[in-house]
Amino acid sequence: MAQFETQVGIVGAGPSGLMLSQLLHLAGIHSIVLEVRSRHYCEGRVRAGVLEHTSVTMLRNAGVGQRLDREGLQHAGIEIGIQGVLHRIPFEELTGKCVTVYGQQEVVKDLIARRLADGGDLRFECGEVSLENIEQGRPLIRVRKDGVEDEVHCDFIAGCDGYHGVARPSIPSQALNVYERLYPFAWLGILAEAAPSREELVYMHHERGFALYSMRSPHITRLYLQCKPDEDIAEWSDDRIWSELNARLSCEDGWRPTEGKILQKGVTGMRSFVVEPLQYGQLFLAGDAAHIVPPTGAKGMNLAFADVHYLARALRARYEENKDEGLDAYSATCLKRVWRAQRFSWWMTSLLHRFEHEPAFDRKRQLAELEYLTSSRAAAMSLAENYVGLPLEGA
Ligand code: APR
Ligand code: PHB
């Protein structure tokens, strides 16, 4: 058995764990990141791809903005489609801000490279992780692999291990309130070798179900189809996928997505989920470990970054000035933003998807809301300010 010492033990090397470890490093605080998967797996996992301007600033300030600035695609708006007719929501004109399209896996690659170049302690394929003494005393993370047990002793633990991680279940269930909503659909997502043929993302409401046209680079498009929650991907041949994408995305003006080789496909479930509070003793939850949003509002990675921004700031005040106010307020500070993002993501999801068994009244109301959104500057402004990202408190 080996024993290790650190100030902050971080469980999980996704966007939240990696960014936290980088922000702490810049503040002179030592951390060890424990990740169950391989580096290759973490860097290859295809996830979300839209960064709010606050996330872009955070990445730049953290010293990981170079490739993002070179390769990220700045978008000054999105298009909302209703049955093949497109309406633009001009973010920059309405809010003065843009978003940047840059894949989460690229963010993860950049953060891993930076941490390793700076001598950061990232442990991939670390084995089975369990947390001890989180309520009082000095917490420790126990790691078991191939019959060998290591102990990482820390002042604080950050649970950045996503929805299926061990951090949240380490908290007694009676200490947490869980708020959850499931949706009666999922997204079938593909990555295609095809040059984007539209400048901006298209969120299409269609009788056959929602479809999203997105992209990753000047050569790669990312597309999604609303599907059944238990959709079997094996039933979706490439031809069937393109035919359905064409049926839903083809526009009145003659545009339809350019087809190409499908590089990757998968089904992503949809849920809204929050636990409160985000702290238990010396354990702090961040990112998907604490909350999940449906992907329609493109908020997942951005919320994860906001959490660790507040957590790093609070830990810095703790170590530099011996002040605990930031840590004490961490949960409440994050939850304010989390609930705003939850509301927005739920609203975008409810607005754009087809709800098969809804009463006729709700269908009519939904169409009226889409019509309102695409014809009122005030309604477009509300979408725009939430999509580009609300300002960080006290930043
Ligand atoms: N021990 C160590 N690591 C773990 C464990 C465990 N028991 N369980 C899970 N992990 C790792 C996962 O392998 C993953 O690499 O924790 C990491 C969590 O990363 P994410 O799920 O990406 O969560 P987070 O960093 O909070 O980022 C949130 O991810 O799911 C997207 O849309 C979401 O963009 C958002 C972002
Ligand atoms: C993506 O490009 O993967 C993407 C874009 C916008 C979303 C969700 C996902 O709302």
Side-chain angles (χ1 to χ4, degrees):
M1 183 180 85
Q3 304 223 4
F4 302 88
E5 284 286 331
T6 187
Q7 289 170 295
V8 183
I10 300 176
V11 188
S16 53
L18 292 166
M19 177 62 104
L20 177 63
S21 120
Q22 176 64 1
L23 294 175
L24 293 178
H25 166 70
L26 294 173
I29 300 167
H30 189 264
S31 70
I32 296 178
V33 179
L34 298 160
E35 165 61 49
V36 74
R37 301 286 195 155
S38 67
R39 177 179 178 184
H40 181 74
Y41 179 91
C42 293
E43 292 185 340
R45 199 166 27 191
V46 182
R47 305 286 260 298
V50 178
L51 293 168
E52 294 176 358
H53 72 103
T54 44
S55 301
V56 170
T57 307
M58 213 182 288
L59 283 159
R60 283 193 192 127
N61 291 346
V64 278
Q66 296 88 337
R67 196 160 70 92
L68 166 68
D69 283 333
R70 267 199 322 274
E71 296 176 18
L73 308 169
Q74 269 224 354
H75 284 203
I78 54 167
E79 296 192 271
I80 299 285
I82 312 173
Q83 300 280 123
V85 182
L86 298 180
H87 307 263
R88 183 163 187 266
I89 311 280
F91 295 158
E92 196 170 25
E93 184 192 317
L94 291 167
T95 67
K97 291 168 189 157
C98 291
V99 293
T100 302
V101 174
Y102 189 67
Q104 178 170 316
Q105 80 210 83
E106 306 308 320
V107 171
V108 165
K109 280 183 206 161
D110 295 347
L111 281 164
I112 290 176
R114 180 79 260 151
R115 288 305 296 122
L116 292 178
D118 290 344
D121 191 341
L122 309 184
R123 305 182 186 185
F124 293 97
E125 299 173 80
C126 69
E128 196 190 320
V129 171
S130 56
L131 313 185
E132 289 175 28
N133 290 350
I134 51 175
E135 197 174 348
Q136 50 199 332
R138 195 143 195 270
L140 80 91
I141 306 174
R142 196 179 291 285
V143 185
R144 290 187 194 86
K145 191 179 182 183
D146 306 330
V148 180
E149 218 175 74
D150 288 345
E151 285 181 1
V152 179
H153 295 259
C154 16
D155 300 336
F156 301 99
I157 298 178
C160 300
D161 50 352
Y163 183 70
H164 300 286
V166 291
R168 194 180 64 250
S170 305
I171 302 175
S173 57
Q174 64 275 16
L176 290 178
N177 288 308
V178 177
Y179 303 89
E180 189 165 24
R181 172 186 279 260
L182 292 170
Y183 299 86
F185 39 74
W187 278 12
L188 190 162
I190 64 159
L191 208 55
E193 204 169 56
S197 51
R198 272 204 102 79
E199 297 259 304
E200 294 174 343
L201 272 56
V202 177
Y203 288 79
M204 182 71 80
H205 175 76
H206 196 279
E207 288 285 337
R208 300 177 67 91
F210 168 74
L212 171 60
Y213 182 80
S214 179
M215 59 202 72
R216 282 291 177 276
S217 74
H219 314 288
I220 305 284
T221 39
R222 176 91 172 132
L223 300 107
Y224 297 96
L225 288 166
Q226 174 182 352
C227 62
K228 294 190 302 243
D230 56 351
E231 196 75 58
D232 180 3
I233 194 76
E235 287 177 15
W236 286 81
S237 65
D238 291 5
D239 281 351
R240 182 177 174 204
I241 292 175
W242 283 119
S243 142
E244 193 59 34
L245 283 166
N246 273 312
R248 296 190 199 178
L249 284 170
S250 291
C251 287
E252 209 189 35
D253 64 6
W255 178 81
R256 60 201 193 101
T258 312
E259 296 185 21
K261 186 175 158 204
I262 297 183
L263 304 170
Q264 192 264 354
K265 54 182 160 182
V267 173
T268 314
M270 292 275 234
R271 67 171 71 226
S272 300
F273 173 87
V274 184
V275 288
E276 297 187 0
L278 271 50
Q279 176 191 7
Y280 183 76
Q282 312 298 84
L283 169 64
F284 294 83
L285 301 177
D288 275 18
H291 41 73
I292 302 281
V293 282
T296 331
K299 289 280 160 257
M301 181 169 36
N302 297 295
L303 271 186
F305 282 163
D307 286 353
V308 297
H309 161 82
Y310 293 128
L311 185 53
R313 193 176 66 179
L315 286 165
R316 187 177 185 160
R318 172 73 181 74
Y319 283 112
E320 279 181 9
E321 302 162 57
N322 211 19
K323 283 191 178 155
D324 281 333
E325 289 89 338
L327 285 175
D328 293 344
Y330 169 74
S331 179
T333 309
C334 290
L335 284 168
K336 238 166 101 178
R337 190 181 183 84
V338 166
W339 277 110
R340 286 223 183 175
Q342 288 289 354
R343 183 209 67 81
F344 176 66
S345 305
W346 162 84
W347 174 77
M348 282 280 277
T349 304
S350 311
L351 177 74
L352 290 163
H353 288 75
R354 270 312 305 267
F355 288 78
E356 251 179 66
H357 304 296
E358 71 186 340
F361 178 89
D362 290 301
R363 174 79 186 125
K364 288 283 192 182
R365 182 195 45 72
Q366 185 186 34
L367 290 170
E369 184 153 15
L370 277 162
E371 222 265 304
Y372 173 54
L373 170 67
T374 50
S375 58
S376 151
R377 191 177 164 87
M381 174 71 95
S382 166
L383 187 157
E385 72 168 351
N386 281 282
Y387 197 101
V388 299
L390 299 166
L392 282 164
E393 217 169 81

